[in-house]
Amino acid sequence: MRFWIRLIWQFLIFKFVISEGRNFRVIFDNISISNVDPEVFEKFDCQLYQINNRSFVDTSHIFKETVTDLKVHAALDFWKAKSPKMTLYDLEFDGCHFLQNVHKNRLFNIYAKTLKKYSNISFKCPFQANVLYAVRNMTMNEQDFPSFVPLGKFRSLIEYSVNQKLSSRVFVNGKIISYSTDPFKISK
Ligand SMILES: *[C@@H]1O[C@H](CO)[C@@H](O)[C@H](O)[C@H]1NC(C)=O
Ligand SMILES: *[C@@H]1O[C@H](CO)[C@@H](O)[C@H](O)[C@H]1NC(C)=O
Ligand SMILES: *[C@@H]1O[C@H](CO)[C@@H](O)[C@H](O)[C@H]1NC(C)=O
Ligand SMILES: *[C@@H]1O[C@H](CO)[C@@H](O)[C@H](O)[C@H]1NC(C)=O
């Protein structure tokens, strides 16, 4: 009897551990930056690299002048296989403290949390002139996401406006792929 209880118990623990893993991965295919206003930015660039099936991003921003008025427009479109586009968020907000605030949109929160984790300086107003605001080795941690995420493609748009004028636009194209990280490869 005790043997069975122990077996069932161990099975439950085992199942719990497995289901805590994530069987997907967030891949960035490409990032494009456009409309960079040379009066606002001394430098604004971005590198994307893929290591062991994981995407990493480095970005550098240097402002020419101190920035005290920053607005952000952020949108995320998602395409599940053979399905029409879904807009998961489309937000406009004050960018001065956007990494400090908690956002109502859970997906956007994941993004803000990730950016904050990999940046080496607080991204908040006033943004200083001639200081490097860098993000290094940023990668999406699947554990931050809900355990079930549909597979598909996405496109993320971020537009920054400084003093009410568009100063840069960033598009990130990527996908959510099935990716088994557990050694047992449970079949679907
Ligand atoms: C990367 O993905 C490929 C194809 O799915 C797989 O064969 C390879 O083992 C993966 N590499 C790592 C380091 O996970
Ligand atoms: C941020 O990192 C860059 C290099 O990655 C460095 O040059 C810069 O001084 C750092 N800034 C701060 C405030 O640590
Ligand atoms: C970036 O992360 C990868 C994987 O975690 C690591 O191998 C690499 O050394 C890191 N690079 C830097 C500059 O931190
Ligand atoms: C960027 O990646 C998407 C797929 O996510 C692809 O459709 C598009 O052609 C790529 N664009 C460039 C410029 O490589």
Side-chain angles (χ1 to χ4, degrees):
M1 188 61 193
R2 284 180 70 159
F3 169 78
W4 286 107
I5 290 172
R6 208 165 78 208
L7 197 71
I8 290 167
W9 184 238
Q10 279 178 358
F11 176 75
L12 287 176
I13 290 174
F14 180 73
K15 249 193 103 89
F16 176 72
V17 168
I18 293 293
S19 61
E20 274 299 283
R22 295 291 186 267
N23 56 1
F24 61 89
R25 197 159 266 194
V26 181
I27 303 288
F28 296 150
D29 288 322
N30 51 51
I31 299 179
S32 65
I33 301 178
S34 63
N35 299 70
V36 177
D37 184 344
E39 284 176 17
V40 170
F41 287 103
E42 179 68 42
K43 179 179 176 145
F44 185 172
D45 64 24
C46 183
Q47 284 89 39
L48 169 65
Y49 44 104
Q50 318 282 352
I51 303 171
N52 293 339
N53 302 331
R54 183 175 281 287
S55 303
F56 293 89
V57 177
D58 287 351
T59 63
S60 304
H61 311 72
I62 300 175
F63 296 98
K64 276 203 170 144
E65 313 272 351
T66 302
V67 172
T68 55
D69 176 358
L70 176 69
K71 298 279 186 302
V72 180
H73 172 212
L76 181 65
D77 291 331
F78 186 77
W79 292 263
K80 229 155 94 170
K82 294 181 189 134
S83 300
K85 179 177 89 175
M86 286 187 286
T87 298
L88 300 183
Y89 59 74
D90 190 343
L91 311 163
E92 281 188 59
F93 51 88
D94 182 0
C96 272
H97 300 98
F98 89 100
L99 296 186
Q100 280 71 40
N101 297 338
V102 173
H103 301 272
K104 287 198 193 87
N105 188 284
R106 185 173 179 188
L107 279 171
F108 190 76
N109 256 341
I110 295 172
Y111 171 72
K113 180 182 161 191
T114 304
L115 201 57
K116 195 169 164 183
K117 180 171 164 192
Y118 294 100
S119 53
N120 68 345
I121 182 169
S122 185
F123 277 55
K124 65 169 190 238
C125 289
F127 288 91
Q128 308 292 324
N130 304 312
V131 168
L132 175 60
Y133 286 82
V135 175
R136 292 286 173 260
N137 232 5
M138 177 177 125
T139 188
M140 301 309 288
N141 183 351
E142 287 74 27
Q143 297 295 334
D144 291 339
F145 286 81
S147 55
F148 176 76
V149 168
L151 306 182
K153 289 183 162 212
F154 62 84
R155 187 184 64 177
S156 155
L157 163 72
I158 300 163
E159 287 177 325
Y160 297 102
S161 297
V162 171
N163 300 330
Q164 323 288 323
K165 188 164 165 258
L166 181 67
S167 64
S168 58
R169 176 179 289 144
V170 182
F171 275 114
V172 181
N173 286 295
K175 55 190 177 255
I176 314 276
I177 59 167
S178 157
Y179 195 93
S180 177
T181 44
D182 71 74
F184 304 101
K185 299 251 185 212
I186 289 178
S187 54
K188 278 162 221 119

